[in-house]
Amino acid sequence: MEVTLLKSTEDPEEAICTAARNDYMSDWVGEKGFEEIMETVEGDTIEEKQYTLISHLLKHGHFGPFEHPKAVFAVKGISRSCMAQITRHRHVSFDVQSMRYVSFDDVDPDDVGDGEMVVIPHSVNDPDWIGRNQKGGAVDEETVEKRRRVFEASVTESVDAYQQLLDLGVPPEDARFVLPIGTKVNMVMSMNLRMLMHVADMRAAADAQWEIRELTETVLDFAEEWCPLTFKYYNENMKNRKNRLAP
Ligand SMILES: Cc1cc2nc3c(=O)[nH]c(=O)nc-3n(C[C@H](O)[C@H](O)[C@H](O)COP(=O)(O)OP(=O)(O)OC[C@H]3O[C@@H](n4cnc5c(N)ncnc54)[C@H](O)[C@@H]3O)c2cc1C
């Protein structure tokens, strides 16, 4: 999988603080400079004042101001299974590559089961990999080799059937029914910072499924650079909360 940040709100933490100060000031923030808006907030520097205010908002569950900054990500090569999970989040906006316009013609038939067009789960190749609810330990190399063969054979057969159906005149939107759920897809997704923290709460948790966790961890890496003060507080005080409904 690859993830890149396409666009994001400039000065996101200035936007958060301005919105929050609007709630508590008699003057209108629209005609004040940022330093003036932050004048009464505790702290020696503007960064300290921002951190004071952002921590206060997060600590007290005043999450509205975090809905103003927004980020747009391009995601490459996640499985349709992972896509089904992330698209359950109703306040994230998505554009998902349509399979009707995807051709597998340029994929070498020998590479079909090789991660070229289908995501290969770690457990297929890694003898030490243990699933979320699995008991027991590592398996031997022979078992891994068998897993790999079964996986590759199944994927190759599905893709072969897909191509044959296309050749027999079945439209792509119908032929795709035989493709595996691990088939790769690209998408663009955007979300506000409140939603990003909510997705992180649910999907970066240790018990989340590994692929969506990898996706979320990468999004979080970008987010930590984009909103450093917010994630300083989040990482120190909020990360790995269990079963939070909001933000
Ligand atoms: C470990 C794990 C396992 C899961 N397993 C399954 C499964 O087996 N089957 C399955 O179907 N799903 C499963 N899910 C998906 C899960 O049930 C949620 O649908 C998904 O994570 C979306 O999150 P959300 O409910 O917080 O809603 P989001 O769409 O992310 O919305 C964010 C918040 O907005 C509020 N909200 C949004 N819409 C409404 C609404 N209509 N009514 C009230 N409040 C609303 C809620 O507070 C919600 O938490 C799983 C999720 C996880 C993390």
Side-chain angles (χ1 to χ4, degrees), residues 88-91 132 195 198 202-203 245:
R88 292 297 300 277
H89 293 286
R90 289 157 283 188
H91 305 293
R132 267 191 303 173
M195 195 56 207
H198 175 70
M202 299 197 78
R203 306 297 187 171
L245 286 181

